[in-house]
Amino acid sequence: MLTTVDLRETDLDDYTDAVPRAEFNVERAVDAVRPICEAVKAEGIEALKRFSEKFDHVVPEHFRVPKHALDNALKNLDPNLRAAIEEAIRRRREVCRQAELEEGPKTVALDDGAVVTDKLIPVRRVGLYVPGGLAPLASSVLMNVVPAQVAGVGSLAVATPPQSEFGGLPHPTTLAVCALLGVEEVYAVGGAQAVAMFAYGVSGLCPRADLVTGPGNIFVVAAKRYLRGRVGIDSEAGPTEIGILADSSANPAFVAADLISQAEHDPMAASVLVTDSEELAAAVKNEVARQVDRLETRDRLKEALSGQQSAIVLVRDIEQGLDVVNDYGAEHLEIQTADSQEVADRVSNAGAIFVGSYSPVPLGDYSAGSTHVLPTGGAARYSSGLNVRSFMRSVHLINYDRAALARIGVGIQDFAHAERLPGHAYAIAVRTQEDK
């Protein structure tokens, strides 16, 4: 299934285009979602009904999920599954509180009477999108909600597609996680229409949001791009991807299982192994074939692992391998080498880095405490995963008294006149009575 790309005799300044990548044409999808978004803006609930019938094949009795449905989902949740979800929530919340939250305003006194404070203010209202297609990602509920709650967001709403098998309600596990987190504003709305609902608001149903976060398919991403500016977005996340940098010390069964785990998400999912060991590459190919045939998702797996976006990349050594993975900027990057921590410390571009043989990506998908909403398509080179700070804005409070302003007023006026902005200069002069 996996093709092989041999870079051992290749020296490039940039390996970005040498590593396989899925085609993900968001701009083309924007043309498809534009009329959906505009219809939701103009028609509100009637448009939601039409698109639910067309795309989800069911029209919910209530687009906002009733509280009793959330309560019933939680009541009927398997006790072992509930315990696992509660532990995942606990770990994610602890990482948010202790590693991501910047506590309190930070004040800098620049001079007597000259103070600037950097104050973090949470976004007022956030719309959180949770996928519900091939895999109903209930885990994405906690990955969106927990950091937003820790940030102090006052108004949270979740949108997730209705499911015909559950009478137009979203998947019960998704509802149960919402209930565990105390989120009562949940909408059975999916796709581009959900993003439009949050961006514009729907009269009598859903107030407008200031920010939309969460992963989704290409049409969700296209709606985010189309509506960006009307509403804030976290990112334009494409198909999921895993990169693994491994040497001969890696366990081929572990490596194969991890490549498969991400391929399971979507036929466009990318699984890339970068290794300097031909023996490991051959063993992983055999393991992939053996493990895939044991799984009920085998058809989806074979499509993803045979696609242009997945491959085994052979490199001369781990040094070249680091160059390759840093240029690739994987959403998830595993380091399975003899000196995995030292190698991981030298990675500059990845959404999340999983160190050693016992830190597989599915750990991060659920219960590591880290976020699983991560940049894809190479965006890890310049952006971060969803975290507490994604839901906060840095606002400067400037507080100078007259004397402090006067001490630098002449210099400010000089600067303003140099930019041919005399009105700026006068706004200083009128306060300090030193007109230049």
Side-chain angles (χ1 to χ4, degrees), residues 129-196:
Y129 187 79
V130 175
L134 289 174
L137 298 183
S139 56
S140 281
V141 178
L142 73 93
M143 294 295 174
N144 278 267
V145 171
V146 170
Q149 288 178 332
V150 172
V153 174
S155 177
L156 296 174
V158 168
T160 188
Q163 309 276 326
S164 57
E165 63 181 304
F166 300 112
L169 288 170
H171 194 282
T173 307
T174 297
L175 295 183
V177 179
C178 289
L180 275 173
L181 290 163
V183 177
E184 296 183 357
E185 189 180 351
V186 182
Y187 297 94
V189 181
Q193 59 270 29
V195 181

Side-chain angles (χ1 to χ4, degrees), residues 102 104-106 116-123 388-398:
E102 297 182 11
K106 295 173 176 59
V116 173
T117 300
D118 185 20
K119 182 180 181 182
L120 292 174
I121 301 176
V123 174
V388 172
R389 291 182 293 277
S390 303
F391 297 96
M392 305 185 84
R393 297 155 295 141
S394 176
V395 178
H396 286 165
L397 282 70
I398 299 92

Side-chain angles (χ1 to χ4, degrees), residues 168-327:
L169 288 170
H171 194 282
T173 307
T174 297
L175 295 183
V177 179
C178 289
L180 275 173
L181 290 163
V183 177
E184 296 183 357
E185 189 180 351
V186 182
Y187 297 94
V189 181
Q193 59 270 29
V195 181
M197 177 184 71
F198 285 140
Y200 293 119
V202 170
S203 179
L205 179 67
C206 176
R208 178 183 60 81
D210 300 305
L211 175 69
V212 175
T213 72
N217 64 20
I218 192 169
F219 299 107
V220 171
V221 175
K224 283 183 174 182
R225 177 177 291 187
Y226 178 64
L227 295 166
R228 186 173 193 167
R230 173 74 191 191
V231 69
I233 68 169
D234 53 344
S235 66
E236 295 183 7
T240 190
E241 57 200 23
I242 181 174
I244 302 178
L245 179 59
D247 61 16
S248 59
S249 70
N251 185 320
F254 292 1
V255 174
D258 296 350
L259 293 170
I260 288 168
S261 70
Q262 288 309 293
E264 194 168 48
H265 276 283
D266 189 289
M268 293 178 66
S271 296
V272 175
L273 167 62
V274 180
T275 182
D276 61 350
S277 170
E278 284 190 73
E279 293 76 14
L280 178 69
V284 167
K285 276 193 175 184
N286 291 334
E287 275 291 328
V288 166
R290 184 183 71 82
Q291 292 183 29
V292 162
D293 282 334
R294 297 171 56 246
L295 299 170
E296 61 187 49
T297 49
R298 65 181 67 88
D299 291 341
R300 190 191 316 162
L301 287 167
K302 289 176 180 178
E303 185 174 352
L305 293 167
S306 301
Q308 67 179 32
Q309 71 274 15
S310 299
I312 295 175
V313 179
L314 292 173
V315 292
R316 289 187 301 276
D317 49 35
I318 295 301
E319 290 298 318
Q320 187 188 22
L322 275 166
D323 289 339
V324 170
V325 298
N326 278 326
D327 287 342

Side-chain angles (χ1 to χ4, degrees), residues 204 332 421 431:
H332 310 90
L421 297 171
R431 288 170 166 80

